[in-house]
Structures are given as C-alpha cells and as structure tokens.
C-alpha cells in the first residue's frame, strides 16, 4: 500500500477504536485539519513523522518493503544464457 492510500485505513482503524478525529489528533499531536485531510486522502503529501505518530496513537505500525522492478526481457534472456553456460561448464568439468 502506498502512503497516499493509508488515510482510509487510518480512518477505518480510528472508527473501529471508537475515537473521534479530534481525540486522535490530540493523542497524535497533529492538527485536526491535517488528520481530516489525511483520512480523506485529499491529494496531500503527508509527512512520515506525522503519519507515524498517528499510527502509534492507534497502536499500529508500518512496515517498509523493497519492491524490485520486474526484469526486462533482456535481463531474463541474459540470465537464461548465463544458466545455460554454467550448465555446459558443469557437464564438461564432470567428464
């Protein structure tokens, strides 16, 4: 999930915990207007520091993952060529 889509999840968690926006904003030390815009995913670029404070106030955490780009056709072709070449060397060396 991207950070820009996190606002809706925060809203769901806040409602599930029966917290008002005002109370969560106070607990997380963010402004009420910032929290409202964040929950509405209003095209803002939220600061990670504020997002983490809100998540902490809700008892949630965030995990970062690294997404490797998909290999290109050329990458796959080269990988297959390397594997074929190493197979040939393996066969020759076992003779």
């Amino acid at each position: 999930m991207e950070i820009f889509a996190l606002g809706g999840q925060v809203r769901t968690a806040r409602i599930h915990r029966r917290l008002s926006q005002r109370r969560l904003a106070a607990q997380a030390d963010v402004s009420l207007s910032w929290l409202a815009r964040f929950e509405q995913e209003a095209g803002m670029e939220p600061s990670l520091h504020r997002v983490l404070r809100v998540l902490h106030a809700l008892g949630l955490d965030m995990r970062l993952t690294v997404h490797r780009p998909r290999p290109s056709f050329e990458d796959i072709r080269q990988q297959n060529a390397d594997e074929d070449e190493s197979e040939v060397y393996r066969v020759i060396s076992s003779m």
Side-chain angles (χ1 to χ4, degrees):
M1 171 187 308
E2 292 186 11
I3 195 167
F4 301 108
L6 191 57
Q9 295 294 318
V10 164
R11 180 178 186 274
T12 300
R14 177 183 60 75
I15 291 170
H16 179 73
R17 286 163 178 76
R18 297 184 177 150
L19 290 172
S20 66
Q21 281 185 332
R22 184 176 309 279
R23 185 160 179 198
L24 177 57
Q27 288 178 354
D29 194 26
V30 298
S31 71
L32 178 59
S33 63
W34 181 89
L35 181 60
R37 285 180 299 150
F38 180 60
E39 285 188 357
Q40 294 170 3
E41 300 171 0
M44 63 186 286
E45 290 188 27
S47 76
L48 186 57
H49 186 68
R50 285 181 182 161
V51 171
L52 291 174
R53 288 195 321 240
V54 168
L55 293 177
H56 180 73
L58 289 169
L60 302 173
D61 65 358
M62 179 174 15
R63 297 184 187 182
L64 302 176
T65 58
V66 176
H67 294 279
R68 288 187 263 162
R70 290 188 170 183
S72 68
F73 176 73
E74 188 59 36
D75 294 336
I76 294 170
R77 195 167 69 88
Q78 183 61 48
Q79 181 182 358
N80 289 342
D82 292 345
E83 289 171 1
D84 291 345
E85 190 174 303
S86 66
E87 179 67 20
V88 168
Y89 287 126
R90 190 181 63 76
V91 170
I92 291 172
S93 65
S94 67
M95 296 178 138

